[in-house]
Amino acid sequence: SNAAVDNRLIRHSDGTISATWTMSSQFSSSYSDRGTGYNYYDGSSWAPDPTSRIESSRTGWPSILTTGFGKEIVISHNTDYNYMQMSHRPSKGNGPWTEQIISSFNLNGSGVYTPLTWNRAVVGGVNNQSVHMIGVIARTGLGGTIYNGLDGALVYYRSLDGGNTWD
């Protein structure tokens, strides 16, 4: 999924635009402040350039979504804690972001979490409340593990209630 195009821009039906990207202000190999850059176009002008990520810890490869009820969602892989993370707020363009863990991959109950990376997500279904997400369990060379005989297995997650719960 890393080579696939991700949802980084949304042009809403009212002409407003939500934009995301992976950003960092550092010019080093660690990019410890890396995360989701976000900006919003209200129909006449863009908000000021962001100076920090929307998440509280290091993430990458955001997918931006809006549910049928207007909830704005950004899903990224969290590289500090090895899980998929959803940042969301009740409406597009304004308000604080709430962070939620979508998934972690604790193999065999060992307490060791294998990295999940390169997610892609879309919204659909009744009232655009279904969120479908794929990701990759990191290959062994990137700190991951073999899953069902696959090195770099593709995994799928789904929410039928706008990201509140996942199966």
Side-chain angles (χ1 to χ4, degrees):
S1 62
N2 189 33
V5 175
D6 205 356
N7 300 333
R8 300 286 172 87
L9 297 167
I10 296 177
R11 184 180 183 277
H12 304 282
S13 59
D14 62 1
T16 60
I17 300 171
S18 297
T20 61
W21 61 95
T22 301
M23 69 173 276
S24 174
S25 298
Q26 297 178 348
F27 297 101
S28 67
S29 60
S30 68
Y31 300 102
S32 61
D33 71 333
R34 187 181 88 177
T36 301
Y38 174 89
N39 207 339
Y40 182 74
Y41 178 76
D42 66 8
S44 61
S45 63
W46 286 95
D49 291 341
T51 57
S52 62
R53 62 188 177 207
I54 65 171
E55 304 91 357
S56 61
S57 58
R58 190 176 188 273
T59 67
W61 281 254
S63 288
I64 187 163
L65 314 161
T66 306
T67 67
F69 298 130
K71 180 180 183 178
E72 191 166 46
I73 297 172
V74 174
I75 299 175
S76 303
H77 69 257
N78 185 305
T79 57
D80 279 341
Y81 302 108
N82 294 332
Y83 53 69
M84 296 297 184
Q85 174 174 325
M86 182 175 80
S87 300
H88 59 91
R89 57 189 177 183
S91 61
K92 61 182 174 65
N94 60 54
W97 294 96
T98 299
E99 296 179 52
Q100 173 183 337
I101 297 171
I102 294 175
S103 65
S104 58
F105 209 80
N106 183 351
L107 291 176
N108 305 319
S110 66
V112 176
Y113 293 92
T114 205
L116 290 167
T117 60
W118 302 318
N119 58 286
R120 301 294 183 263
V122 296
V123 169
V126 177
N127 295 322
N128 284 323
Q129 286 298 102
S130 297
V131 183
H132 302 273
M133 182 190 74
I134 60 169
V136 175
I137 296 174
R139 297 176 54 91
T140 54
L142 296 173
T145 189
I146 303 292
Y147 178 69
N148 286 342
L150 298 172
D151 190 9
L154 182 70
V155 292
Y156 168 77
Y157 293 86
R158 174 184 69 172
S159 172
L160 298 176
D161 57 8
N164 294 325
T165 61
W166 293 84
D167 58 19

